[in-house]
Amino acid sequence: MKRMTLPQGLAPALSALTAALLLSACAAPEFKQPQMDVPAAYKEDQAPATPLVQTAADGSKWKQAKAAEAQPRGEWWLAFNDPALNGLIGEATKANANLAVAAARVKQARAIAGVAEADRVPQIGVGVGAQRSRASAQSLGLAQGSAVAPATSYSANLTASYEVDLFGRVSSNVSAARSDAASVEATYRSVLLAVQADVAQTYFRLRATDAELETLNRTVELRQENVKVNQRRFDLGDIGEFDLARAKTELATSRAEAIGLQRQRVTTEHALAVLLGKPAAAFTAGASPLLDTALLPTIPQGMPSTLLERRPDIAAAQRTMEAANARIGLARAAMFPALTLNANGGGVSDTFSDVFKWSSRSWLLGALMSMPLIDGGRNKANVARSEAALEESVGSYRQSVLTAFAEVEDNLAGLRILAGQTAQIDDAVVSARRSADLAQKLYTAGRSSYLDLLDAQRNLASVERSAVQLRGNRAVTTVALIRSLGGGWDSAAQ
C-alpha cells in the first residue's frame, strides 16, 4: 500500500497553523472597551458654551479637561481662597487613616505585580548541605546482620529553573497583576479626592452652623430685650401678664434652639477631627461663621466625555475590567502544556573540603512538559468563572459611569436651584427686616398687639436662618460638584 505524503512545504505550514490555533485558544481575548451612550452635554449645565476660566488663589487656572485620569490633580480647594481650609486639607492628606489604608493597599498591589513579573526571568538558587546515613546490609546485597558503617556526604549545588511561556500563562498573569495594581492606585486617588472633599464639606457645614448659631444668638438677645421691656411695662400696668409670659416663652424657646444647634456643631467638629486623623478630644475648631458665598468658585463642567477621563473611580473600574480580561487567558493557559527547564550543578563528596573539587562535580539538565489529562472539568470551569468575572466587571464599569453622570447632574441642578433660592431668600430677608422694624415701632406706639410683633420677629428669625442654611448648602454642593467631576488640574496638567 502506497503511503500518502504531504506536498513539500505543507507540513511546516500545518505545524505553524496548529501552533497558532493553540496559542489563540489559550491567549486572553482582545480587550474591548464597553460602549457607553455618552450625552453630548449635561442636561443641567447652564454654563455658557465656553466655560469661564477662573483664577484660583494660587494663580492657577481652571480649565476644561482634556487628558487622562493619570494626570496630576490640582489643589482645587485653593479656589475657595480660605487659608483655614487649605491647612485642614493638608493635615488630612498627611494623617487620614482611610488614606493610609489605601496607600498600604497600593504598596501591596505593586508588590504582587512584582511577584508576577519575577516569573519572566529564570529562578536561580544555591544550596549547601550535609547528610549522614546508614543503609541496611540487605539493601547493599550483604548477608543479614553484616556490619555497615554510617556514611557522611557533603553537597553544594546551584539550581536554575525557567518556565517557557508557551501559551501565555506568565504574560497573562503579569498583565492581570499590573491592571490590578493600576486599579488599586486609581482607588487610592479616589479615596484621596473623597477625603479632601469630605474635609471641605464638613468644614463648610461647621461654618454654616456657626453662622446659624450667630443668627440664633441675635434672636436670643432680641428676646431678652423684649422680656425686659415687657417686664417694665407690666410693672407699670401698661400690659397684662399674658404679654410678659409670651415674651418669656419665646426667650426660653430660642435658648433651647441655640443649645440644640450647639450639639450639632460639636458633632460636626468631631467628624472633622476624625478626617484629620486626630482624637475628637484633641481637636477644637474656632467659630468662623460663613457670612458670604459670593466668592465661591465658578466651576467649568467641560464635556460629559471628559468625565470618563477625570474620575478615578471610573479609572479603577476600567483597570478591573482589564485584569479580568487577562485572567481569562490565564485560565485558558492552564488547559495546555507547561514547559519548565531545570538545571542543577555542584559537587558531592564525603569530606567538605573536596566538595568543590573538579572530581566531585555533578550536574543535571532537564525539561519537563506537563499538562492535565483528566481534571473533572476544573479548568473548563475556571475559564467560565473568569469570563463571568469579566462580565461582572463590565457591569460594574457601566454602573460607575452612570452613577458619575447622575452625580454631576444632581450637583449642577442643586447649584442652579440653590442660586434661585438664594436670590429669593435675600429679597425675603430685606422684606422681613423691614416688617419687623415696622412691627416694633407700631407696638412701641401702642398701635398693634404684642402677637403682631412676635409674628414679625419669628418670621425674620426663620428667614435669616434659611438664608444661612442656603449659604452652607451652596458651599457644600460646590465641593460635591468638584468631587463628582473628578477634581481639578494644576497648571502642570495644562
Side-chain angles (χ1 to χ4, degrees), residues 152-190:
T152 301
S153 64
Y154 299 90
S155 64
N157 63 330
L158 190 67
T159 62
S161 65
Y162 176 69
E163 180 180 348
V164 181
D165 195 18
L166 288 179
F167 299 100
R169 189 200 72 81
V170 175
S171 58
S172 293
N173 190 40
V174 170
S175 178
R178 285 177 176 175
S179 295
D180 282 336
S183 175
V184 174
E185 289 175 16
T187 300
Y188 169 81
R189 289 191 290 272
S190 183

PDB file of all heavy atoms in Angstrom, residues 152-190:
ATOM      1  N   THR A 152      28.876   9.828  55.726  1.00  0.00           N
ATOM      2  CA  THR A 152      28.512  11.249  55.688  1.00  0.00           C
ATOM      3  C   THR A 152      28.858  11.804  54.310  1.00  0.00           C
ATOM      4  O   THR A 152      29.927  11.502  53.760  1.00  0.00           O
ATOM      5  CB  THR A 152      29.271  12.039  56.763  1.00  0.00           C
ATOM      6  OG1 THR A 152      28.966  11.501  58.047  1.00  0.00           O
ATOM      7  CG2 THR A 152      28.891  13.512  56.721  1.00  0.00           C
ATOM      8  N   SER A 153      27.946  12.584  53.765  1.00  0.00           N
ATOM      9  CA  SER A 153      28.213  13.224  52.472  1.00  0.00           C
ATOM     10  C   SER A 153      27.902  14.706  52.559  1.00  0.00           C
ATOM     11  O   SER A 153      27.002  15.125  53.305  1.00  0.00           O
ATOM     12  CB  SER A 153      27.368  12.574  51.361  1.00  0.00           C
ATOM     13  OG  SER A 153      25.986  12.786  51.606  1.00  0.00           O
ATOM     14  N   TYR A 154      28.677  15.479  51.832  1.00  0.00           N
ATOM     15  CA  TYR A 154      28.500  16.935  51.784  1.00  0.00           C
ATOM     16  C   TYR A 154      28.194  17.326  50.346  1.00  0.00           C
ATOM     17  O   TYR A 154      28.692  16.719  49.385  1.00  0.00           O
ATOM     18  CB  TYR A 154      29.762  17.648  52.260  1.00  0.00           C
ATOM     19  CG  TYR A 154      30.142  17.315  53.685  1.00  0.00           C
ATOM     20  CD1 TYR A 154      30.989  16.238  53.955  1.00  0.00           C
ATOM     21  CD2 TYR A 154      29.648  18.067  54.741  1.00  0.00           C
ATOM     22  CE1 TYR A 154      31.332  15.917  55.257  1.00  0.00           C
ATOM     23  CE2 TYR A 154      29.987  17.750  56.050  1.00  0.00           C
ATOM     24  CZ  TYR A 154      30.832  16.677  56.298  1.00  0.00           C
ATOM     25  OH  TYR A 154      31.168  16.357  57.586  1.00  0.00           O
ATOM     26  N   SER A 155      27.364  18.365  50.202  1.00  0.00           N
ATOM     27  CA  SER A 155      26.999  18.783  48.840  1.00  0.00           C
ATOM     28  C   SER A 155      26.869  20.299  48.785  1.00  0.00           C
ATOM     29  O   SER A 155      26.546  20.965  49.778  1.00  0.00           O
ATOM     30  CB  SER A 155      25.674  18.133  48.412  1.00  0.00           C
ATOM     31  OG  SER A 155      24.610  18.576  49.240  1.00  0.00           O
ATOM     32  N   ALA A 156      27.143  20.809  47.612  1.00  0.00           N
ATOM     33  CA  ALA A 156      26.929  22.234  47.319  1.00  0.00           C
ATOM     34  C   ALA A 156      26.495  22.314  45.860  1.00  0.00           C
ATOM     35  O   ALA A 156      27.149  21.728  44.986  1.00  0.00           O
ATOM     36  CB  ALA A 156      28.203  23.038  47.537  1.00  0.00           C
ATOM     37  N   ASN A 157      25.390  22.948  45.619  1.00  0.00           N
ATOM     38  CA  ASN A 157      24.894  22.976  44.248  1.00  0.00           C
ATOM     39  C   ASN A 157      24.214  24.299  43.915  1.00  0.00           C
ATOM     40  O   ASN A 157      23.753  25.032  44.797  1.00  0.00           O
ATOM     41  CB  ASN A 157      23.937  21.808  44.001  1.00  0.00           C
ATOM     42  CG  ASN A 157      22.694  21.886  44.874  1.00  0.00           C
ATOM     43  OD1 ASN A 157      22.754  22.411  45.970  1.00  0.00           O
ATOM     44  ND2 ASN A 157      21.603  21.347  44.401  1.00  0.00           N
ATOM     45  N   LEU A 158      24.165  24.584  42.629  1.00  0.00           N
ATOM     46  CA  LEU A 158      23.498  25.769  42.082  1.00  0.00           C
ATOM     47  C   LEU A 158      22.336  25.279  41.224  1.00  0.00           C
ATOM     48  O   LEU A 158      22.528  24.412  40.354  1.00  0.00           O
ATOM     49  CB  LEU A 158      24.480  26.585  41.239  1.00  0.00           C
ATOM     50  CG  LEU A 158      24.024  27.975  40.792  1.00  0.00           C
ATOM     51  CD1 LEU A 158      23.889  28.899  41.991  1.00  0.00           C
ATOM     52  CD2 LEU A 158      25.025  28.557  39.784  1.00  0.00           C
ATOM     53  N   THR A 159      21.144  25.777  41.483  1.00  0.00           N
ATOM     54  CA  THR A 159      19.963  25.324  40.753  1.00  0.00           C
ATOM     55  C   THR A 159      19.381  26.476  39.937  1.00  0.00           C
ATOM     56  O   THR A 159      19.495  27.652  40.313  1.00  0.00           O
ATOM     57  CB  THR A 159      18.885  24.804  41.709  1.00  0.00           C
ATOM     58  OG1 THR A 159      18.457  25.865  42.566  1.00  0.00           O
ATOM     59  CG2 THR A 159      19.418  23.656  42.556  1.00  0.00           C
ATOM     60  N   ALA A 160      18.755  26.119  38.829  1.00  0.00           N
ATOM     61  CA  ALA A 160      18.082  27.118  37.993  1.00  0.00           C
ATOM     62  C   ALA A 160      16.856  26.471  37.361  1.00  0.00           C
ATOM     63  O   ALA A 160      16.878  25.294  37.003  1.00  0.00           O
ATOM     64  CB  ALA A 160      19.030  27.627  36.902  1.00  0.00           C
ATOM     65  N   SER A 161      15.786  27.250  37.274  1.00  0.00           N
ATOM     66  CA  SER A 161      14.566  26.768  36.619  1.00  0.00           C
ATOM     67  C   SER A 161      13.920  27.932  35.878  1.00  0.00           C
ATOM     68  O   SER A 161      14.053  29.096  36.275  1.00  0.00           O
ATOM     69  CB  SER A 161      13.588  26.180  37.640  1.00  0.00           C
ATOM     70  OG  SER A 161      13.126  27.186  38.529  1.00  0.00           O
ATOM     71  N   TYR A 162      13.249  27.593  34.805  1.00  0.00           N
ATOM     72  CA  TYR A 162      12.615  28.628  33.984  1.00  0.00           C
ATOM     73  C   TYR A 162      11.413  28.028  33.267  1.00  0.00           C
ATOM     74  O   TYR A 162      11.513  26.958  32.652  1.00  0.00           O
ATOM     75  CB  TYR A 162      13.611  29.175  32.959  1.00  0.00           C
ATOM     76  CG  TYR A 162      13.011  30.186  32.009  1.00  0.00           C
ATOM     77  CD1 TYR A 162      12.623  31.439  32.456  1.00  0.00           C
ATOM     78  CD2 TYR A 162      12.823  29.863  30.666  1.00  0.00           C
ATOM     79  CE1 TYR A 162      12.069  32.367  31.576  1.00  0.00           C
ATOM     80  CE2 TYR A 162      12.277  30.783  29.782  1.00  0.00           C
ATOM     81  CZ  TYR A 162      11.888  32.044  30.250  1.00  0.00           C
ATOM     82  OH  TYR A 162      11.339  32.943  29.392  1.00  0.00           O
ATOM     83  N   GLU A 163      10.285  28.720  33.379  1.00  0.00           N
ATOM     84  CA  GLU A 163       9.081  28.281  32.676  1.00  0.00           C
ATOM     85  C   GLU A 163       8.993  29.009  31.343  1.00  0.00           C
ATOM     86  O   GLU A 163       8.930  30.243  31.305  1.00  0.00           O
ATOM     87  CB  GLU A 163       7.814  28.552  33.493  1.00  0.00           C
ATOM     88  CG  GLU A 163       6.552  28.103  32.779  1.00  0.00           C
ATOM     89  CD  GLU A 163       5.278  28.348  33.566  1.00  0.00           C
ATOM     90  OE1 GLU A 163       5.389  28.666  34.776  1.00  0.00           O
ATOM     91  OE2 GLU A 163       4.188  28.240  32.983  1.00  0.00           O
ATOM     92  N   VAL A 164       9.001  28.237  30.274  1.00  0.00           N
ATOM     93  CA  VAL A 164       8.845  28.821  28.944  1.00  0.00           C
ATOM     94  C   VAL A 164       7.376  29.196  28.756  1.00  0.00           C
ATOM     95  O   VAL A 164       6.488  28.360  28.916  1.00  0.00           O
ATOM     96  CB  VAL A 164       9.293  27.824  27.849  1.00  0.00           C
ATOM     97  CG1 VAL A 164       9.153  28.462  26.473  1.00  0.00           C
ATOM     98  CG2 VAL A 164      10.730  27.385  28.096  1.00  0.00           C
ATOM     99  N   ASP A 165       7.139  30.442  28.431  1.00  0.00           N
ATOM    100  CA  ASP A 165       5.761  30.926  28.346  1.00  0.00           C
ATOM    101  C   ASP A 165       5.150  30.539  26.988  1.00  0.00           C
ATOM    102  O   ASP A 165       4.879  31.384  26.129  1.00  0.00           O
ATOM    103  CB  ASP A 165       5.745  32.452  28.534  1.00  0.00           C
ATOM    104  CG  ASP A 165       4.344  32.975  28.812  1.00  0.00           C
ATOM    105  OD1 ASP A 165       3.469  32.169  29.190  1.00  0.00           O
ATOM    106  OD2 ASP A 165       4.135  34.192  28.662  1.00  0.00           O
ATOM    107  N   LEU A 166       4.894  29.246  26.838  1.00  0.00           N
ATOM    108  CA  LEU A 166       4.394  28.755  25.561  1.00  0.00           C
ATOM    109  C   LEU A 166       2.999  29.280  25.234  1.00  0.00           C
ATOM    110  O   LEU A 166       2.722  29.689  24.109  1.00  0.00           O
ATOM    111  CB  LEU A 166       4.358  27.217  25.580  1.00  0.00           C
ATOM    112  CG  LEU A 166       5.691  26.480  25.515  1.00  0.00           C
ATOM    113  CD1 LEU A 166       5.468  24.979  25.571  1.00  0.00           C
ATOM    114  CD2 LEU A 166       6.446  26.857  24.236  1.00  0.00           C
ATOM    115  N   PHE A 167       2.124  29.255  26.205  1.00  0.00           N
ATOM    116  CA  PHE A 167       0.721  29.562  25.941  1.00  0.00           C
ATOM    117  C   PHE A 167       0.216  30.783  26.721  1.00  0.00           C
ATOM    118  O   PHE A 167      -0.967  30.921  26.978  1.00  0.00           O
ATOM    119  CB  PHE A 167      -0.146  28.341  26.258  1.00  0.00           C
ATOM    120  CG  PHE A 167       0.203  27.149  25.405  1.00  0.00           C
ATOM    121  CD1 PHE A 167       0.992  26.136  25.911  1.00  0.00           C
ATOM    122  CD2 PHE A 167      -0.222  27.078  24.098  1.00  0.00           C
ATOM    123  CE1 PHE A 167       1.333  25.043  25.123  1.00  0.00           C
ATOM    124  CE2 PHE A 167       0.115  25.988  23.298  1.00  0.00           C
ATOM    125  CZ  PHE A 167       0.899  24.973  23.804  1.00  0.00           C
ATOM    126  N   GLY A 168       1.141  31.646  27.106  1.00  0.00           N
ATOM    127  CA  GLY A 168       0.752  32.931  27.667  1.00  0.00           C
ATOM    128  C   GLY A 168       0.355  32.931  29.123  1.00  0.00           C
ATOM    129  O   GLY A 168      -0.221  33.901  29.606  1.00  0.00           O
ATOM    130  N   ARG A 169       0.685  31.849  29.875  1.00  0.00           N
ATOM    131  CA  ARG A 169       0.305  31.849  31.287  1.00  0.00           C
ATOM    132  C   ARG A 169       1.007  32.953  32.059  1.00  0.00           C
ATOM    133  O   ARG A 169       0.384  33.701  32.809  1.00  0.00           O
ATOM    134  CB  ARG A 169       0.633  30.490  31.928  1.00  0.00           C
ATOM    135  CG  ARG A 169       0.062  30.337  33.343  1.00  0.00           C
ATOM    136  CD  ARG A 169       0.766  29.246  34.121  1.00  0.00           C
ATOM    137  NE  ARG A 169       2.113  29.646  34.505  1.00  0.00           N
ATOM    138  CZ  ARG A 169       2.381  30.412  35.567  1.00  0.00           C
ATOM    139  NH1 ARG A 169       1.409  30.900  36.306  1.00  0.00           N
ATOM    140  NH2 ARG A 169       3.630  30.720  35.852  1.00  0.00           N
ATOM    141  N   VAL A 170       2.319  33.051  31.846  1.00  0.00           N
ATOM    142  CA  VAL A 170       3.097  34.054  32.580  1.00  0.00           C
ATOM    143  C   VAL A 170       2.696  35.465  32.167  1.00  0.00           C
ATOM    144  O   VAL A 170       2.453  36.332  33.013  1.00  0.00           O
ATOM    145  CB  VAL A 170       4.603  33.829  32.354  1.00  0.00           C
ATOM    146  CG1 VAL A 170       5.407  34.957  33.015  1.00  0.00           C
ATOM    147  CG2 VAL A 170       5.029  32.484  32.918  1.00  0.00           C
ATOM    148  N   SER A 171       2.603  35.708  30.858  1.00  0.00           N
ATOM    149  CA  SER A 171       2.281  37.057  30.392  1.00  0.00           C
ATOM    150  C   SER A 171       0.871  37.475  30.812  1.00  0.00           C
ATOM    151  O   SER A 171       0.639  38.639  31.170  1.00  0.00           O
ATOM    152  CB  SER A 171       2.422  37.144  28.868  1.00  0.00           C
ATOM    153  OG  SER A 171       1.583  36.198  28.235  1.00  0.00           O
ATOM    154  N   SER A 172      -0.075  36.526  30.811  1.00  0.00           N
ATOM    155  CA  SER A 172      -1.438  36.859  31.246  1.00  0.00           C
ATOM    156  C   SER A 172      -1.465  37.184  32.731  1.00  0.00           C
ATOM    157  O   SER A 172      -2.156  38.112  33.171  1.00  0.00           O
ATOM    158  CB  SER A 172      -2.390  35.692  30.952  1.00  0.00           C
ATOM    159  OG  SER A 172      -2.551  35.501  29.562  1.00  0.00           O
ATOM    160  N   ASN A 173      -0.690  36.430  33.515  1.00  0.00           N
ATOM    161  CA  ASN A 173      -0.640  36.680  34.955  1.00  0.00           C
ATOM    162  C   ASN A 173      -0.017  38.044  35.243  1.00  0.00           C
ATOM    163  O   ASN A 173      -0.490  38.785  36.116  1.00  0.00           O
ATOM    164  CB  ASN A 173       0.170  35.579  35.641  1.00  0.00           C
ATOM    165  CG  ASN A 173       0.052  35.632  37.150  1.00  0.00           C
ATOM    166  OD1 ASN A 173      -1.015  35.890  37.696  1.00  0.00           O
ATOM    167  ND2 ASN A 173       1.153  35.390  37.841  1.00  0.00           N
ATOM    168  N   VAL A 174       1.048  38.385  34.500  1.00  0.00           N
ATOM    169  CA  VAL A 174       1.687  39.691  34.671  1.00  0.00           C
ATOM    170  C   VAL A 174       0.717  40.810  34.291  1.00  0.00           C
ATOM    171  O   VAL A 174       0.586  41.816  34.992  1.00  0.00           O
ATOM    172  CB  VAL A 174       2.973  39.780  33.832  1.00  0.00           C
ATOM    173  CG1 VAL A 174       3.502  41.211  33.810  1.00  0.00           C
ATOM    174  CG2 VAL A 174       4.031  38.849  34.395  1.00  0.00           C
ATOM    175  N   SER A 175       0.023  40.641  33.177  1.00  0.00           N
ATOM    176  CA  SER A 175      -0.932  41.660  32.733  1.00  0.00           C
ATOM    177  C   SER A 175      -2.035  41.865  33.752  1.00  0.00           C
ATOM    178  O   SER A 175      -2.425  43.006  34.058  1.00  0.00           O
ATOM    179  CB  SER A 175      -1.519  41.250  31.385  1.00  0.00           C
ATOM    180  OG  SER A 175      -2.476  42.196  30.940  1.00  0.00           O
ATOM    181  N   ALA A 176      -2.545  40.765  34.306  1.00  0.00           N
ATOM    182  CA  ALA A 176      -3.605  40.879  35.320  1.00  0.00           C
ATOM    183  C   ALA A 176      -3.095  41.589  36.569  1.00  0.00           C
ATOM    184  O   ALA A 176      -3.783  42.445  37.138  1.00  0.00           O
ATOM    185  CB  ALA A 176      -4.132  39.494  35.673  1.00  0.00           C
ATOM    186  N   ALA A 177      -1.890  41.237  37.009  1.00  0.00           N
ATOM    187  CA  ALA A 177      -1.332  41.858  38.219  1.00  0.00           C
ATOM    188  C   ALA A 177      -1.075  43.343  38.006  1.00  0.00           C
ATOM    189  O   ALA A 177      -1.325  44.164  38.898  1.00  0.00           O
ATOM    190  CB  ALA A 177      -0.036  41.151  38.622  1.00  0.00           C
ATOM    191  N   ARG A 178      -0.579  43.696  36.812  1.00  0.00           N
ATOM    192  CA  ARG A 178      -0.359  45.118  36.534  1.00  0.00           C
ATOM    193  C   ARG A 178      -1.675  45.897  36.536  1.00  0.00           C
ATOM    194  O   ARG A 178      -1.764  47.010  37.070  1.00  0.00           O
ATOM    195  CB  ARG A 178       0.328  45.266  35.184  1.00  0.00           C
ATOM    196  CG  ARG A 178       1.807  44.903  35.170  1.00  0.00           C
ATOM    197  CD  ARG A 178       2.367  45.021  33.762  1.00  0.00           C
ATOM    198  NE  ARG A 178       3.800  44.775  33.716  1.00  0.00           N
ATOM    199  CZ  ARG A 178       4.494  44.726  32.585  1.00  0.00           C
ATOM    200  NH1 ARG A 178       3.875  44.907  31.413  1.00  0.00           N
ATOM    201  NH2 ARG A 178       5.788  44.504  32.608  1.00  0.00           N
ATOM    202  N   SER A 179      -2.697  45.325  35.925  1.00  0.00           N
ATOM    203  CA  SER A 179      -4.000  46.007  35.890  1.00  0.00           C
ATOM    204  C   SER A 179      -4.591  46.116  37.283  1.00  0.00           C
ATOM    205  O   SER A 179      -5.206  47.127  37.630  1.00  0.00           O
ATOM    206  CB  SER A 179      -4.959  45.248  34.964  1.00  0.00           C
ATOM    207  OG  SER A 179      -4.516  45.290  33.624  1.00  0.00           O
ATOM    208  N   ASP A 180      -4.403  45.066  38.098  1.00  0.00           N
ATOM    209  CA  ASP A 180      -4.866  45.139  39.490  1.00  0.00           C
ATOM    210  C   ASP A 180      -4.172  46.280  40.229  1.00  0.00           C
ATOM    211  O   ASP A 180      -4.811  47.033  40.975  1.00  0.00           O
ATOM    212  CB  ASP A 180      -4.588  43.824  40.211  1.00  0.00           C
ATOM    213  CG  ASP A 180      -5.597  42.739  39.861  1.00  0.00           C
ATOM    214  OD1 ASP A 180      -6.719  43.095  39.447  1.00  0.00           O
ATOM    215  OD2 ASP A 180      -5.270  41.551  40.012  1.00  0.00           O
ATOM    216  N   ALA A 181      -2.853  46.384  40.026  1.00  0.00           N
ATOM    217  CA  ALA A 181      -2.108  47.456  40.693  1.00  0.00           C
ATOM    218  C   ALA A 181      -2.588  48.824  40.225  1.00  0.00           C
ATOM    219  O   ALA A 181      -2.752  49.751  41.039  1.00  0.00           O
ATOM    220  CB  ALA A 181      -0.615  47.302  40.429  1.00  0.00           C
ATOM    221  N   ALA A 182      -2.839  48.961  38.926  1.00  0.00           N
ATOM    222  CA  ALA A 182      -3.336  50.238  38.410  1.00  0.00           C
ATOM    223  C   ALA A 182      -4.714  50.550  38.966  1.00  0.00           C
ATOM    224  O   ALA A 182      -5.038  51.711  39.257  1.00  0.00           O
ATOM    225  CB  ALA A 182      -3.384  50.202  36.882  1.00  0.00           C
ATOM    226  N   SER A 183      -5.542  49.519  39.144  1.00  0.00           N
ATOM    227  CA  SER A 183      -6.876  49.725  39.722  1.00  0.00           C
ATOM    228  C   SER A 183      -6.777  50.201  41.170  1.00  0.00           C
ATOM    229  O   SER A 183      -7.491  51.113  41.591  1.00  0.00           O
ATOM    230  CB  SER A 183      -7.674  48.423  39.652  1.00  0.00           C
ATOM    231  OG  SER A 183      -8.922  48.555  40.302  1.00  0.00           O
ATOM    232  N   VAL A 184      -5.877  49.587  41.928  1.00  0.00           N
ATOM    233  CA  VAL A 184      -5.710  49.985  43.336  1.00  0.00           C
ATOM    234  C   VAL A 184      -5.160  51.406  43.428  1.00  0.00           C
ATOM    235  O   VAL A 184      -5.555  52.182  44.302  1.00  0.00           O
ATOM    236  CB  VAL A 184      -4.786  48.984  44.057  1.00  0.00           C
ATOM    237  CG1 VAL A 184      -4.484  49.462  45.473  1.00  0.00           C
ATOM    238  CG2 VAL A 184      -5.439  47.607  44.105  1.00  0.00           C
ATOM    239  N   GLU A 185      -4.244  51.761  42.526  1.00  0.00           N
ATOM    240  CA  GLU A 185      -3.715  53.130  42.526  1.00  0.00           C
ATOM    241  C   GLU A 185      -4.813  54.141  42.200  1.00  0.00           C
ATOM    242  O   GLU A 185      -4.874  55.224  42.794  1.00  0.00           O
ATOM    243  CB  GLU A 185      -2.571  53.232  41.526  1.00  0.00           C
ATOM    244  CG  GLU A 185      -1.313  52.492  41.966  1.00  0.00           C
ATOM    245  CD  GLU A 185      -0.236  52.500  40.898  1.00  0.00           C
ATOM    246  OE1 GLU A 185      -0.349  53.311  39.960  1.00  0.00           O
ATOM    247  OE2 GLU A 185       0.708  51.695  40.992  1.00  0.00           O
ATOM    248  N   ALA A 186      -5.681  53.801  41.247  1.00  0.00           N
ATOM    249  CA  ALA A 186      -6.797  54.688  40.935  1.00  0.00           C
ATOM    250  C   ALA A 186      -7.754  54.785  42.112  1.00  0.00           C
ATOM    251  O   ALA A 186      -8.312  55.856  42.401  1.00  0.00           O
ATOM    252  CB  ALA A 186      -7.535  54.183  39.695  1.00  0.00           C
ATOM    253  N   THR A 187      -7.951  53.675  42.825  1.00  0.00           N
ATOM    254  CA  THR A 187      -8.796  53.700  44.027  1.00  0.00           C
ATOM    255  C   THR A 187      -8.187  54.598  45.088  1.00  0.00           C
ATOM    256  O   THR A 187      -8.908  55.322  45.796  1.00  0.00           O
ATOM    257  CB  THR A 187      -8.980  52.276  44.575  1.00  0.00           C
ATOM    258  OG1 THR A 187      -9.604  51.465  43.573  1.00  0.00           O
ATOM    259  CG2 THR A 187      -9.846  52.281  45.824  1.00  0.00           C
ATOM    260  N   TYR A 188      -6.856  54.577  45.200  1.00  0.00           N
ATOM    261  CA  TYR A 188      -6.187  55.474  46.144  1.00  0.00           C
ATOM    262  C   TYR A 188      -6.490  56.931  45.799  1.00  0.00           C
ATOM    263  O   TYR A 188      -6.805  57.745  46.679  1.00  0.00           O
ATOM    264  CB  TYR A 188      -4.676  55.239  46.129  1.00  0.00           C
ATOM    265  CG  TYR A 188      -3.901  56.304  46.878  1.00  0.00           C
ATOM    266  CD1 TYR A 188      -3.791  56.269  48.263  1.00  0.00           C
ATOM    267  CD2 TYR A 188      -3.311  57.373  46.199  1.00  0.00           C
ATOM    268  CE1 TYR A 188      -3.109  57.263  48.960  1.00  0.00           C
ATOM    269  CE2 TYR A 188      -2.624  58.367  46.882  1.00  0.00           C
ATOM    270  CZ  TYR A 188      -2.527  58.297  48.254  1.00  0.00           C
ATOM    271  OH  TYR A 188      -1.866  59.290  48.935  1.00  0.00           O
ATOM    272  N   ARG A 189      -6.400  57.270  44.504  1.00  0.00           N
ATOM    273  CA  ARG A 189      -6.709  58.644  44.099  1.00  0.00           C
ATOM    274  C   ARG A 189      -8.166  58.981  44.380  1.00  0.00           C
ATOM    275  O   ARG A 189      -8.493  60.119  44.724  1.00  0.00           O
ATOM    276  CB  ARG A 189      -6.384  58.834  42.616  1.00  0.00           C
ATOM    277  CG  ARG A 189      -4.898  58.845  42.325  1.00  0.00           C
ATOM    278  CD  ARG A 189      -4.612  59.299  40.898  1.00  0.00           C
ATOM    279  NE  ARG A 189      -5.026  58.307  39.916  1.00  0.00           N
ATOM    280  CZ  ARG A 189      -4.277  57.317  39.496  1.00  0.00           C
ATOM    281  NH1 ARG A 189      -3.051  57.154  39.998  1.00  0.00           N
ATOM    282  NH2 ARG A 189      -4.715  56.474  38.587  1.00  0.00           N
ATOM    283  N   SER A 190      -9.043  57.995  44.255  1.00  0.00           N
ATOM    284  CA  SER A 190     -10.454  58.217  44.562  1.00  0.00           C
ATOM    285  C   SER A 190     -10.645  58.479  46.052  1.00  0.00           C
ATOM    286  O   SER A 190     -11.403  59.370  46.450  1.00  0.00           O
ATOM    287  CB  SER A 190     -11.280  56.998  44.131  1.00  0.00           C
ATOM    288  OG  SER A 190     -12.656  57.215  44.344  1.00  0.00           O
TER     289      SER A 190
END
